[in-house]
Amino acid sequence: MASQSSYEYYKNAIPTMPPLRAMAETLLCDPRIRTVDAAEAYRLAQNQSDVMMTDMPIYPPAAKRLGLPEGARVPNNCHGRVVGRTAKAIRYYNRLSGAEQRKVLGDVREAVFEMRPRPLIKAEAIIGLDRDLMIKASFITTEDDAVNVFNWLVNFTPYQELAQIYESSPKLPIQDIIVVADNAWDLDDEYYHKQGQRMLALVDEQANVIFNFGMRYFGERKKGTLTLAWTSGMRLNMAACHGGIKELDFSSCSDPAAQKAGKRSIAFFGLSGTGKSSHTNASDNAGTLPEGFNKVVLHDDAFQIDCKNKVCRVWEPTLFDKTDSRSLDHPDWPYVISVMNHAILEVEGKKLPLGHDLRNPNGRALLDRDLLGTSVNRCDFPHIMVWLMKDTCLPPILKFSKRSLAVAMGASLMTKRNMAENVSEEELQQLVFVPYANPFRVYELWKDVEAFLNVFEHGATGYCFNSVGFWKSSDTELTSIPLQTSLTLQTAILLDQLEWEDWDIIQGAQLPTKESIEAILPGYYDRYNPADVQNKATYIATLNDRFKQRRTFLQNSDLHEKPTLLAKLIHTLKLKDNL
């Protein structure tokens, strides 16, 4: 299914075309702006002052697919002060007052006018790899931003790769996406966020247009494009997922108990640093999966759930991963295509990127999806949905026996900021709420709540993993939760190895029974049993406060527009009365 051009979408009501769409479309139609493919963008990127070519080869199959010269090397694009996403720069056009909209429109027109004298380039991509969900996208920027064009084409799919499938597909009731960027924009106006220079990420989700001004970081282009793709999927009644999902088939296992599990899809929702990629991409769950299983991965960051057809669909063919834990000899490096904000070291005559965040936090790499082994463009509806929380009051795993609690906990997903985001040290320490771990939602929260309630009503089972550490004697004195433990728990729920009992503190939440969990993780019950924590009264008070914060967060959201739905969530987010 293909998206529609501006004319196709608005032709029966041309006067309804939003002004930001008209501006972007006008720029897109300028014949002086030349279209570049990945190979041309790569050639231009080599001449950028902020790009250094390493001696690490680009993953050969990706280089061939992108039309790059033989022996193409990985580019490293280094920025200055800002090396992550800047949420404070975002302006949602449709939420602005009339006066603000008029002001912003004037500023954008001026910004586009000032871009014109400089050499401009554009590129075309297809967002989405499943033939039933594809959106055409165009990216317009200055020639000295070619590395971001290259990375954008790598992150998504150059148009020509899927043109035949795309052009033969029926049309979706969705516009093509247009992204406009200018790194040099720096308007002297306090209305816009300033960090070194003024920054603006202007989003019009109804028009499928985004403007990135004064922002060098590639993640702004990637997540801006994905924001519009996710929102387009929501407009088609599909749940938008900032998460990872994989499908495991145990039917060929030699163990009869494992065979009984059959085929299952499991999805993980969490911000960077919560273990989303680690859980999705783990080859064998740290050796805990049974011999003979088969695994396919859809993606570790972005997909859409189609409840009507009981499938999930992927948006991207590559991974945009943090590299802080990748040493020089890490096995992932052969799959790399491009890196950002890496220190470089000369090693035996070769200049190689260092993956330890030595130069700055949030070093990133674009890696081919082949890294994951067998990947697919669609997979089964998720049987298991896991929220990855950073809440010290929660044990390593919870199961939700009530759908409303599963939905409510996802809608009030509690976490901490991380170095992938351009925030202050103080904000890094604060607990925050990011519904469904998706900071890129541009539509009302109640729409997400309804979408995920639909997912659970169609048969998904909800769980919560705590990935930060569990209360030992206080909110800071914690019992660690190793990744090995979490991966073992993942295998346990995939294979139905755990038995569950109601948690005596929260109605609708369950804990693994002592007998079943000790058979898998000896010592678990003594380390992570909420009944045995030190300073129990303070623990209960803190847990109660956390749930009160969740309720307050939802009550202050747009869910008040749906009072019945809000009441359903609030009612379930409570500790039991006898505590």
Side-chain angles (χ1 to χ4, degrees):
M1 303 291 278
S3 54
Q4 299 182 28
S5 68
S6 293
Y7 176 70
E8 289 172 323
Y9 188 83
Y10 294 104
K11 65 182 178 182
N12 294 323
I14 290 293
T16 66
M17 182 187 296
L20 289 174
R21 180 84 191 185
M23 288 183 211
E25 182 68 30
T26 302
L27 194 60
L28 190 63
C29 288
D30 190 332
R32 295 167 294 182
I33 301 177
R34 78 181 194 278
T35 301
V36 299
D37 59 12
E40 174 67 1
Y42 176 77
R43 185 188 68 78
L44 291 169
Q46 294 179 69
N47 297 321
Q48 282 188 224
S49 60
D50 57 344
V51 173
M52 176 180 174
M53 303 307 294
T54 72
D55 290 318
M56 182 174 284
I58 290 177
Y59 179 54
K64 183 177 180 180
R65 175 175 62 86
L66 295 165
L68 304 184
E70 188 173 347
R73 296 170 298 145
V74 171
N76 179 33
N77 180 212
C78 284
H79 307 146
R81 180 181 289 104
V82 178
V83 291
R85 298 188 307 269
T86 307
K88 290 180 179 178
I90 300 174
R91 295 287 186 275
Y92 300 106
Y93 177 76
N94 295 301
R95 301 182 196 173
L96 301 180
S97 67
E100 286 179 298
Q101 286 185 343
R102 289 188 291 275
K103 171 191 166 38
V104 168
L105 289 175
D107 290 341
V108 172
R109 286 197 303 272
E110 187 67 20
V112 171
F113 178 83
E114 292 178 356
M115 288 175 67
R116 296 274 191 169
R118 287 177 282 159
L120 302 180
I121 56 176
K122 62 184 178 182
E124 295 180 338
I126 291 177
I127 319 302
L129 298 171
D130 183 81
R131 64 182 308 130
D132 289 331
L133 186 60
M134 291 180 170
I135 301 174
K136 183 180 179 182
S138 296
F139 177 23
I140 311 164
T141 188
T142 55
E143 191 174 282
D144 59 5
D145 190 33
V147 71
N148 270 327
V149 175
F150 174 70
N151 289 334
W152 187 76
L153 289 170
V154 167
N155 189 88
F156 299 108
T157 308
Y159 181 79
Q160 291 305 317
E161 281 191 39
L162 296 173
Q164 189 173 354
I165 295 174
Y166 180 84
E167 290 168 6
S168 63
S169 297
K171 293 288 185 178
L172 294 166
I174 297 292
Q175 314 98 310
D176 298 342
I177 288 170
I178 306 177
V179 180
V180 181
D182 180 7
N183 291 348
W185 184 81
D186 190 11
L187 183 64
D188 186 16
D189 189 328
E190 293 185 1
Y191 178 79
Y192 301 106
H193 178 69
K194 184 173 185 178
Q195 196 153 357
Q197 68 184 67
R198 297 294 175 186
M199 308 167 80
L200 172 63
L202 181 62
V203 182
D204 186 342
E205 74 282 1
Q206 296 176 16
N208 254 2
V209 170
I210 187 167
F211 290 82
N212 278 152
F213 289 152
M215 312 177 87
R216 306 176 188 127
Y217 178 56
F218 169 67
E220 302 288 2
R221 317 295 199 259
K222 168 191 164 72
K223 292 300 188 183
T225 306
L226 269 177
T227 292
L228 298 179
W230 274 318
T231 306
S232 297
M234 283 292 294
R235 289 162 62 186
L236 298 169
N237 299 314
M238 301 178 193
C241 301
H242 181 223
I245 184 169
K246 61 184 175 182
E247 183 179 285
L248 296 104
D249 188 349
F250 300 104
S251 59
S252 297
C253 292
S254 55
D255 181 0
Q259 284 183 21
K260 282 181 63 178
K263 184 186 290 187
R264 291 186 172 178
S265 290
I266 183 168
F268 301 92
F269 296 77
L271 295 183
S272 298
T274 58
K276 170 167 56 81
S277 294
S278 298
H279 275 286
T280 306
N281 302 342
S283 58
D284 60 0
N285 285 0
T288 61
L289 287 173
E291 188 176 342
F293 77 93
N294 290 299
K295 182 192 77 169
V296 295
V297 177
L298 188 74
H299 205 264
D300 72 349
D301 187 61
F303 63 99
Q304 215 84 14
I305 301 175
D306 180 348
C307 288
K308 180 180 178 181
N309 295 296
K310 299 282 281 192
V311 297
C312 298
R313 298 188 174 92
V314 70
W315 289 116
E316 306 163 292
T318 51
L319 313 174
F320 184 52
D321 279 3
K322 287 170 62 67
T323 54
D324 54 324
S325 62
R326 287 178 168 94
S327 58
L328 277 169
D329 60 352
H330 197 281
D332 289 355
W333 285 120
Y335 297 93
V336 72
I337 304 172
S338 181
V339 297
M340 282 138 266
N341 293 307
H342 278 60
I344 300 292
L345 184 68
E346 186 168 332
V347 180
E348 298 176 352
K350 293 185 176 181
K351 294 179 174 63
L352 301 176
L354 295 174
H356 296 289
D357 279 4
L358 298 178
R359 178 187 182 271
N360 49 260
N362 198 39
R364 290 273 175 166
L366 281 164
L367 301 148
D368 194 277
R369 203 167 43 140
D370 284 354
L371 164 69
L372 306 179
T374 304
S375 58
V376 291
N377 297 332
R378 69 160 67 187
C379 72
D380 278 354
F381 179 87
H383 302 88
I384 299 168
M385 301 274 284
V386 180
W387 312 135
L388 299 170
M389 297 269 187
K390 286 190 174 182
D391 183 346
T392 57
C393 290
L394 300 180
I397 188 171
L398 288 176
K399 180 180 180 181
F400 300 117
S401 57
K402 292 178 65 176
R403 294 171 186 160
S404 55
L405 180 59
V407 173
M409 289 292 281
S412 58
L413 191 144
M414 183 175 279
T415 188
K416 287 186 176 182
R417 298 292 187 193
N418 63 83
M419 296 303 288
E421 299 164 279
N422 180 26
V423 297
S424 67
E425 287 293 327
E426 182 181 358
E427 288 175 287
L428 284 172
Q429 302 308 315
Q430 295 174 355
L431 285 167
V432 294
F433 295 103
V434 184
Y436 305 108
N438 190 352
F440 313 104
R441 176 178 50 82
V442 296
Y443 47 83
E444 296 87 350
L445 176 56
W446 64 260
K447 291 183 179 178
D448 252 356
V449 169
E450 288 189 341
F452 282 101
L453 186 59
N454 194 29
V455 171
F456 285 105
E457 287 174 346
H458 275 77
T461 301
Y463 294 83
C464 171
F465 284 9
N466 175 9
S467 61
V468 70
F470 178 61
W471 181 294
K472 184 177 183 180
S473 58
S474 72
D475 189 35
T476 55
E477 293 293 324
L478 308 175
T479 300
S480 66
I481 304 173
L483 177 61
Q484 172 83 35
T485 296
S486 295
L487 290 171
T488 303
L489 291 170
Q490 183 200 141
T491 296
I493 59 177
L494 280 164
L495 296 176
D496 292 327
Q497 293 174 333
L498 295 175
E499 296 178 359
W500 301 89
E501 59 187 6
D502 291 340
W503 191 6
D504 60 359
I505 297 178
I506 300 171
Q507 191 169 349
Q510 296 182 318
L511 301 172
T513 63
K514 182 176 182 178
E515 183 179 29
S516 66
I517 193 65
E518 288 293 318
I520 296 166
L521 286 166
Y524 177 99
Y525 202 77
D526 291 334
R527 289 194 297 273
Y528 304 117
N529 184 7
D532 295 334
V533 296
Q534 299 174 37
N535 298 321
K536 182 74 174 289
T538 306
Y539 169 75
I540 293 295
T542 306
L543 182 63
N544 189 50
D545 179 67
R546 294 273 165 86
F547 273 74
K548 181 180 178 182
Q549 288 183 52
R550 288 181 169 94
R551 295 194 302 273
T552 300
F553 171 76
L554 295 181
Q555 286 168 329
N556 290 333
S557 75
D558 57 64
L559 275 161
H560 60 77
E561 298 175 25
K562 299 281 182 175
T564 303
L565 187 60
L566 175 60
K568 189 175 186 178
L569 301 190
I570 296 301
H571 177 74
T572 197
L573 281 173
K574 291 182 179 179
L575 274 60
K576 290 186 177 177
D577 294 335
N578 59 345
L579 295 173

